[in-house]
Amino acid sequence: LLPSDTKFWRPFDSGYITSEYGYRNAIWLNGKLISSSGLHEGIDLSNGLGKKNPVYSVANGKVAAVWYDRWGGNQVTIHHNINGKSYSSTYAHLDRTLVKKGEIVTKDSIVGYMGATGSATGYHLHLAISTGLRFTEYTGQSAYVARTINPRSLINFPSSGSWKDRVHYYK
């Protein structure tokens, strides 16, 4: 059974968005492909603290997976029940992870520390949210990407600029 919650929270105490959710063109750096064209299925967040920055779960939930791959580096996916609806949050490029599959977490649980693992070009958190229970109700990258939604539609990030805590409401 998933613990329930009523809303999503920002994943760290202070920060700013460095890359938005949405379609974009391929990005090359010194002749190396660092980001392919297509949907950027999450948002990238940073704050200048690098690997000292704790990353919190965005809501109460249960850890569904902890893994590493060459694109997202160290990653965690958490299942959530928000007002009776199922969601999955995925945290990528973590320097290190602090949770294990099957663990129950709260919005105040540190899941890991911001990193630059995988294909990251600098310290940041790639945060993605998808509908349903990733790795349980669906698997595979294309099914996952089709279910992603803009985290801004669920988490109160300021429209521009930075935030100073996890709870302040921005209009």
Side-chain angles (χ1 to χ4, degrees):
L1 215 61
L2 283 175
S4 63
D5 211 335
T6 58
K7 66 184 278 187
F8 287 99
W9 302 84
R10 290 182 291 275
F12 27 91
D13 292 326
S14 64
Y16 48 87
I17 295 175
T18 60
S19 185
E20 297 283 355
Y21 175 93
Y23 287 91
R24 60 188 186 185
N25 295 324
I27 300 171
W28 295 83
L29 181 65
N30 298 325
K32 179 181 174 190
L33 179 66
I34 60 169
S35 178
S36 59
S37 58
L39 180 65
H40 181 236
E41 75 279 356
I43 54 177
D44 293 344
L45 310 167
S46 193
N47 63 9
L49 294 177
K51 64 183 176 181
K52 295 178 181 170
N53 188 69
V55 175
Y56 297 91
S57 175
V58 293
N60 297 339
K62 184 176 183 179
V63 178
V66 179
W67 79 101
Y68 179 91
D69 73 34
R70 67 185 183 131
W71 298 109
N74 295 318
Q75 300 178 66
V76 172
T77 292
I78 300 173
H79 289 164
H80 307 282
N81 172 1
I82 307 294
N83 297 319
K85 294 182 182 177
S86 297
Y87 297 94
S88 298
S89 59
T90 298
Y91 311 78
H93 306 303
L94 297 170
D95 181 68
R96 59 190 162 114
T97 59
L98 299 180
V99 293
K100 294 185 179 358
K101 182 179 178 178
E103 187 175 337
I104 300 296
V105 295
T106 71
K107 71 170 183 66
D108 297 318
S109 297
I110 298 173
V111 300
Y113 284 86
M114 184 168 49
T117 60
S119 65
T121 58
Y123 282 95
H124 73 283
L125 170 68
H126 173 86
L127 172 67
I129 297 180
S130 55
T131 58
L133 303 177
R134 186 179 184 192
F135 303 122
T136 299
E137 296 175 355
Y138 57 94
T139 58
Q141 186 67 12
S142 60
Y144 163 68
V145 170
R147 289 175 174 247
T148 60
I149 53 179
N150 189 340
R152 276 189 180 274
S153 68
L154 299 169
I155 301 174
N156 179 245
F157 288 107
S159 58
S160 64
S162 59
W163 67 90
K164 300 293 182 209
D165 61 43
R166 296 183 65 215
V167 297
H168 181 85
Y169 180 78
Y170 295 96
K171 292 181 182 182

